[in-house]
Amino acid sequence: MAGMREMALGIASALRVDAAPNPLPVELWGYAPEDAAQLLRYIVDECRDAGIAVERVAADPLVVQELSGTKTESGVVCAGVMIIADSACEGRFSIYRAHIRRGP
């Protein structure tokens, strides 16, 4: 089984492909909020390192609370990426790539 860093690298690689869905949903089956928060940190770091522009992430509110360290936060910035708590994202998060214009 792949570790979290390897999964983050795979997700970042998927985001690099133009044909990937936008947003890219990531299911968190069986992940505790603290583990999901760590995976999300790794994904944001991998995307930053690879030059993949992430506009924002909509995430399970429990994951956002874990990232922010408070139960009242509705959003937090992680390495320059806004992560927004969205109750519709229970058990998952959705990663939105920035729209990049190519050519004339």
Side-chain angles (χ1 to χ4, degrees):
M1 184 170 156
M4 273 200 261
R5 286 190 187 268
E6 290 83 11
M7 288 189 294
L9 182 59
I11 292 167
S13 295
L15 285 166
R16 174 169 272 181
V17 177
D18 287 337
N22 193 18
L24 180 71
V26 177
E27 298 294 330
L28 302 170
W29 296 102
Y31 275 81
E34 58 271 11
D35 293 333
Q38 187 60 49
L39 176 60
L40 187 50
R41 283 186 198 100
Y42 287 149
I43 292 168
V44 169
D45 288 344
E46 289 294 339
C47 287
R48 184 188 62 229
D49 291 349
I52 300 165
V54 175
E55 181 180 315
R56 71 183 184 283
V57 176
D60 185 318
L62 294 175
V63 174
V64 174
Q65 291 171 5
E66 188 64 38
L67 286 167
S68 69
T70 178
K71 300 260 184 219
T72 60
E73 282 300 321
S74 60
V76 64
V77 176
C78 179
V81 175
M82 186 65 188
I83 301 173
I84 302 163
D86 184 347
S87 59
C89 288
E90 185 177 347
R92 67 178 169 83
F93 45 81
S94 297
I95 305 168
Y96 293 80
R97 287 177 305 186
H99 294 287
I100 299 172
R101 295 176 192 226
R102 291 192 162 90

